[in-house]
């Protein structure tokens, strides 16, 4: 390598070192004089951040809503509603029409005439079946009632016994339309109303349900 080449290489090295020193000094000075870009520009609307409410963050996901009942009278439902209100919770009483099972009827299907039903009863007596009645009107006219039970399992067993004796016994639920009342309310994880205990004060034998429902707010 000639002397001229060595001189050029040395000059390049010095130039690179000088550039590095200059860049370092420039970066050091400008870190104190940096100006951030503008948040907004003329003619372009800016975004506004809305602060999250403390009440929302504290209560979000904690509110639960329920329907409690059924009550057979409006008075009983309102009594529980007031107890829940006094506990600091909002309530609403809702009326529903429902069909209630009174009992379960075991029977033989309707026969063509009352005389035909009487002939069947003569044969039934031979089997020592004592509970029988010919139904005289309605959708079961000329059917033979073989007993009424307040328990579905008892009705089913009796029908099976009658079938064992050779008769095509059936059973059905006898129902009637009835008004019932439910108390709807909301509660938080920190405020749980003892609704079952209060319901026992109204009727110690009542069979109450606490059913989760969708909150309306």
């Amino acid at each position: 390598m000639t002397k001229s080449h060595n001189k050029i290489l040395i000059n390049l090295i010095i130039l690179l070192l000088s550039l590095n020193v200059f860049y370092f000094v420039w970066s050091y000075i400008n870190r104190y004089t940096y100006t951030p870009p503008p948040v907004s520009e003329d003619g372009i609307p800016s975004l506004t951040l809305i602060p999250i409410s403390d009440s929302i963050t504290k209560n979000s996901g904690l509110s639960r809503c329920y329907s409690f009942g059924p009550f057979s009278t409006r008075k009983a439902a309102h009594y529980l509603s007031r107890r829940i209100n006094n506990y600091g919770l909002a309530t609403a009483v809702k009326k529903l029409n429902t069909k209630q099972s009174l009992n379960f009827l075991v029977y033989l299907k309707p026969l063509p005439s009352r005389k035909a039903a009487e002939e069947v009863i003569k044969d039934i007596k031979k089997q020592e079946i004592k509970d029988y009645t010919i139904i005289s009107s309605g959708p079961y006219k000329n059917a033979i009632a073989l007993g009424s039970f307040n328990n579905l399992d008892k009705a089913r067993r009796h029908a099976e016994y009658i079938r064992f004796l050779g008769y095509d016994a059936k059973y059905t639920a006898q129902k009637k339309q009835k008004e019932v009342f439910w108390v709807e309310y909301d509660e938080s994880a920190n405020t749980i109303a003892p609704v079952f205990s209060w319901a026992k004060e109204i009727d110690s034998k009542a069979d109450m349900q606490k059913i989760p429902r969708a909150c309306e707010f």
Side-chain angles (χ1 to χ4, degrees):
M1 183 177 293
T2 63
K3 291 183 179 181
S4 61
H5 286 157
N6 287 337
K7 186 175 181 180
I8 293 172
L9 180 61
I10 292 171
N11 289 336
L12 286 174
I13 293 173
I14 294 173
L15 178 62
L16 289 174
L17 290 174
S18 300
L19 289 174
N20 285 333
V21 171
F22 173 78
Y23 178 77
F24 174 78
V25 173
W26 180 85
S27 298
Y28 182 80
I29 295 173
N30 277 273
R31 69 172 181 167
Y32 295 104
T33 60
Y34 172 74
T35 302
V39 176
S40 61
E41 296 183 15
D42 293 339
I44 301 176
S46 59
L47 297 175
T48 303
L49 296 178
I50 301 175
I52 299 174
S53 170
D54 289 340
S55 60
I56 294 176
T57 56
K58 291 178 181 178
N59 297 325
S60 178
L62 297 181
S63 181
R64 298 179 178 88
C65 300
Y66 299 95
S67 292
F68 187 81
F71 294 92
S72 58
T73 66
R74 188 186 297 272
K75 181 179 179 181
H78 277 291
Y79 172 81
L80 182 76
S81 179
R82 288 193 297 272
R83 293 295 298 267
I84 297 174
N85 289 153
N86 293 336
Y87 212 65
L89 302 174
T91 62
V93 176
K94 297 291 181 67
K95 181 182 74 173
L96 292 177
N97 290 318
T98 184
K99 285 188 176 181
Q100 182 184 39
S101 294
L102 298 177
N103 51 43
F104 299 90
L105 176 69
V106 177
Y107 68 99
L108 300 181
K109 64 181 181 180
L111 292 149
S113 64
R114 184 176 181 85
K115 184 177 180 180
E118 289 173 348
E119 291 296 324
V120 173
I121 286 179
K122 288 179 183 179
D123 191 55
I124 285 176
K125 290 179 180 179
K126 299 176 184 178
Q127 305 292 342
E128 298 185 356
I129 298 173
K130 298 179 180 180
D131 190 356
Y132 52 83
T133 304
I134 298 175
I135 300 173
S136 59
S137 62
Y140 292 95
K141 184 178 181 179
N142 295 327
I144 300 173
L146 298 172
S148 182
F149 302 86
N150 59 7
N151 183 283
L152 175 59
D153 189 53
K154 290 180 180 179
R156 186 184 291 114
R157 288 202 303 268
H158 189 62
E160 288 173 355
Y161 171 69
I162 299 297
R163 284 196 289 268
F164 173 75
L165 297 176
Y167 303 96
D168 186 19
K170 302 180 183 300
Y171 57 88
T172 185
Q174 295 183 303
K175 299 181 179 182
K176 73 172 183 179
Q177 196 78 9
K178 184 181 180 182
E179 283 186 351
V180 294
F181 301 88
W182 290 79
V183 178
E184 296 184 349
Y185 70 99
D186 63 287
E187 65 182 23
S188 67
N190 298 323
T191 310
I192 301 175
V195 288
F196 285 100
S197 298
W198 292 338
K200 290 296 182 183
E201 297 176 8
I202 302 170
D203 184 354
S204 60
K205 297 181 180 180
D207 184 17
M208 295 294 169
Q209 301 177 65
K210 181 180 178 181
I211 303 174
R213 63 179 181 83
C215 295
E216 298 177 356
F217 46 84

